[in-house]
Amino acid sequence: MTVHLCHSIPGYEDCGPGGLTLARLLQVNEIPCAVFELDRNRYNRSQGGSLDLHEGSAQIALREAGLFDQFMAVARPEGEVLKIYEPDGNLLLDESTGHGERRPDSFNGRPEVDRVQLRDMLIDSLSAGTIQWGRKLSAVKTTAEGLNPTYDLHFADGTTETEFSLVVGADGTWSKVRSLLSDTRPQFSGINGVDVKLSNIDSVDAKLSKRVGLGMCLTLGSNTTILSQRNGDGCVRSYGFMRLTEDWARTCGINWSRPAEAKQQFLDLYYKDFDQDSQDLILKADDDSVIPRPLYMLPIGHKWPHRAGLTLIGDAAHVMAPFAGVGVNVAMEDALQLARSLVACKDICSKTAVNTHERHLSNAVRDYEEAMFVRAEAYAKETWMYLNLFFHERGGHPMCEHFANAKKKQQQQAEAPEVPAKAVNVES
Ligand SMILES: Cc1cc2nc3c(=O)[nH]c(=O)nc-3n(C[C@H](O)[C@H](O)[C@H](O)COP(=O)(O)OP(=O)(O)OC[C@H]3O[C@@H](n4cnc5c(N)ncnc54)[C@H](O)[C@@H]3O)c2cc1C
């Protein structure tokens, strides 16, 4: 695979939101690229739940990718609405008050989209043949060191692709590309539990559907939570998460091969003091959807010394636990910033001697990395703060206090008198 900037500069990504966004942004700027993806096709596995795309990051990437209108056509602004319950069913916070269960007329900055819709939109935007499906990367090897290094990609089926001068690892938490840049591995975040999906909630249990509301519904107990999120296809995904050990799924005694019993055992063990509605979000979920899910993160501030010809975007660079809801936004912002750097590099290369091009490419990637390290660290700190609000001994109260304080601060800022511009001495 070759990516042409001014001469041959090859590249590589994977089929998550980060890699697909990068591929699209490169193609709209006439920089060819190839995507190697382990899935056999786009339908190979379930793509998970709903994602809110933020105005200042993912939405800008979609605008530059020429896909913003398509996104708006499928986005769900009502999905932003949050409800927080106590385990006994007492409602602590309800953002749907005011517009009930209607779709609001306007978007408020962070509309939701189903992951599968986002992925389809990005896949369909790429030139035919860009994605090579069923190519599971097993190793990246250096074939030439020094100022102009190149890399070979080795795949699990024994095939190779050779002499890449830029390899972008967008291969998620367990990235194979990362090991060439950093010895750091993702660590267990301290949070474990189960991930379930309740299909067609409106027809299965209309009362339960109302409990969830239009967007996200949290039931927060002492260090133990149920997070439920409505998706555009009528299902509700719920996560029963708490502070547990990494090996919990193996050692807890729950027989995961019998999911109907496993759900009940899980609830009996950890959710005895939660009301029936919150328990039903797990109990009534599809039996074939029950997945134990330990959550991993790279250390806050993870970085690596720049190495020419290799870089990472998205979870491969900075996987975080999902509690600030920023992972996909950071991944798409990485794609945006790296694409901008590579486009600027293409321009520089068109005006400079061929023997300087590898240096320009290396500088472009280094610029992206330095800015990304700072941005990712700030998001990782925010995520850690939210993790500790989700899993708190005082249940949902600290989170509600946090939102109330943030709102108060916003109001104070809006009401503060404008500071007059410094007077300019026009007499002198
Ligand atoms: C339970 C849960 C809920 C979440 N909820 C949210 C949320 O609400 N909002 C949000 O912003 N983020 C959320 N996230 C985080 C979000 O999913 C990630 O941050 C985001 O998907 C990262 O995108 P990515 O493209 O970097 O990586 P990924 O989405 O992980 O994509 C990586 C791609 O690489 C492919 N791949 C992996 N290994 C190989 C290999 N060896 N060879 C070839 N291909 C390979 C994979 O098949 C995949 O297509 C959540 C995460 C979890 C676990």
Side-chain angles (χ1 to χ4, degrees):
M1 193 279 321
T2 30
V3 171
H4 297 280
L5 293 186
C6 46
H7 70 305
S8 165
I9 299 175
Y12 151 86
E13 311 101 27
D14 297 82
C15 235
L20 290 171
T21 305
L22 178 61
R24 168 68 182 174
L25 288 166
L26 293 180
Q27 287 190 349
V28 294
N29 286 287
E30 292 171 3
I31 302 174
C33 61
V35 174
F36 299 102
E37 166 58 43
L38 72 81
D39 284 348
R40 283 191 303 282
N41 56 55
R42 73 167 83 188
Y43 311 107
N44 202 198
R45 69 192 154 96
S46 153
Q47 287 301 313
S50 184
L51 302 162
D52 59 327
L53 299 193
H54 301 179
E55 232 170 358
S57 49
Q59 290 187 35
I60 300 179
L62 289 176
R63 280 181 201 277
E64 292 198 14
L67 298 172
F68 190 69
D69 291 344
Q70 276 187 52
F71 160 67
M72 289 294 270
V74 291
R76 289 177 290 108
E78 72 279 15
E80 286 187 81
V81 166
L82 172 68
K83 283 177 157 185
I84 301 182
Y85 288 89
E86 291 189 279
D88 63 4
N90 178 44
L91 186 57
L92 286 179
L93 180 123
D94 184 1
E95 291 183 345
S96 63
T97 316
H99 57 80
E101 293 182 26
R102 281 181 299 109
R103 185 185 165 100
D105 296 334
S106 62
F107 285 76
N108 197 17
R110 296 183 166 194
E112 295 276 339
V113 63
D114 284 8
R115 191 187 286 260
V116 71
Q117 288 175 313
L118 177 67
R119 193 186 199 222
D120 280 350
M121 189 175 88
L122 288 164
I123 290 172
D124 292 339
S125 74
L126 299 177
S127 324
T130 305
I131 302 171
Q132 300 195 18
W133 297 99
R135 307 290 307 268
K136 181 177 180 186
L137 184 75
S138 50
V140 181
K141 292 191 180 151
T142 316
T143 40
E145 295 280 3
L147 274 181
N148 301 331
T150 57
Y151 299 92
D152 288 354
L153 305 182
H154 295 254
F155 295 93
D157 61 4
T159 57
T160 52
E161 299 280 344
T162 57
E163 296 197 18
F164 290 82
S165 49
L166 175 61
V167 176
V168 180
D171 47 348
T173 308
W174 304 108
S175 169
K176 289 280 189 275
V177 183
R178 190 196 302 120
S179 57
L180 276 87
L181 292 168
S182 161
D183 291 334
T184 310
R185 300 251 313 152
Q187 306 161 345
F188 176 59
S189 68
I191 305 300
N192 209 333
V194 298
D195 172 347
V196 298
K197 176 175 121 176
L198 200 170
S199 298
N200 304 316
I201 191 167
D202 290 347
S203 48
V204 170
D205 189 332
K207 182 168 155 267
L208 202 53
S209 170
K210 222 167 168 176
R211 155 82 174 228
V212 174
L214 298 168
M216 184 176 300
C217 164
L218 309 178
T219 311
L220 301 177
S222 179
N223 284 311
T224 305
T225 73
I226 297 178
L227 288 83
S228 301
Q229 211 177 6
R230 185 180 291 275
N231 285 226
D233 65 358
C235 84
V236 166
R237 280 190 174 267
S238 295
Y239 305 94
F241 280 145
M242 64 203 87
R243 294 188 190 270
L244 292 165
T245 57
E246 185 176 8
D247 63 357
W248 164 78
R250 258 187 309 111
T251 57
C252 63
I254 296 176
N255 182 357
W256 301 106
S257 64
R258 302 171 81 102
E261 287 165 36
K263 288 185 294 186
Q264 188 64 63
Q265 275 181 294
F266 177 66
L267 292 168
D268 289 347
L269 276 170
Y270 305 105
Y271 290 92
K272 273 271 189 230
D273 58 341
F274 278 54
D275 72 336
Q276 193 56 47
D277 278 350
S278 54
Q279 292 198 36
D280 279 350
L281 286 163
I282 289 176
L283 199 58
K284 294 188 176 179
D286 313 352
D287 284 345
D288 62 0
S289 73
V290 183
I291 304 170
R293 192 177 286 287
L295 296 177
Y296 289 87
M297 56 186 272
L298 278 161
I300 296 171
H302 174 243
K303 53 181 79 161
W304 57 87
H306 173 69
R307 180 170 175 177
L310 282 180
T311 195
L312 305 173
I313 63 171
D315 280 7
H318 43 59
V319 61
M320 304 164 198
F323 299 105
V326 292
V328 83
N329 292 283
V330 196
M332 290 173 73
E333 190 171 359
D334 290 351
L336 172 70
Q337 299 303 347
L338 180 57
R340 283 178 175 171
S341 247
L342 294 176
V343 171
C345 174
K346 177 185 165 189
D347 191 41
I348 295 170
C349 288
S350 70
K351 296 171 194 148
T352 51
V354 169
N355 65 358
T356 65
H357 291 178
E358 297 297 344
R359 182 163 48 83
H360 295 314
L361 176 64
S362 179
N363 288 344
V365 172
R366 190 198 308 265
D367 287 349
Y368 149 76
E369 285 169 346
E370 283 173 3
M372 180 270 289
F373 292 146
V374 176
R375 200 174 58 241
E377 182 170 355
Y379 281 119
K381 283 182 176 160
E382 184 189 350
T383 294
W384 188 249
M385 188 263 302
Y386 272 108
L387 182 149
N388 287 298
L389 288 176
F390 268 94
F391 303 95
H392 198 284
E393 58 193 15
R394 290 174 53 227
H397 292 278
M399 190 175 301
C400 291
E401 288 157 14
H402 169 76
F403 288 142
N405 287 337
K407 204 170 166 184
K408 204 161 131 193
K409 217 166 150 184
Q410 243 180 5
Q411 272 166 356
Q412 280 168 350
Q413 275 167 358
E415 285 161 17
E418 254 181 56
V419 181
K422 205 173 165 191
V424 181
N425 185 352
V426 286
E427 283 173 10
S428 59

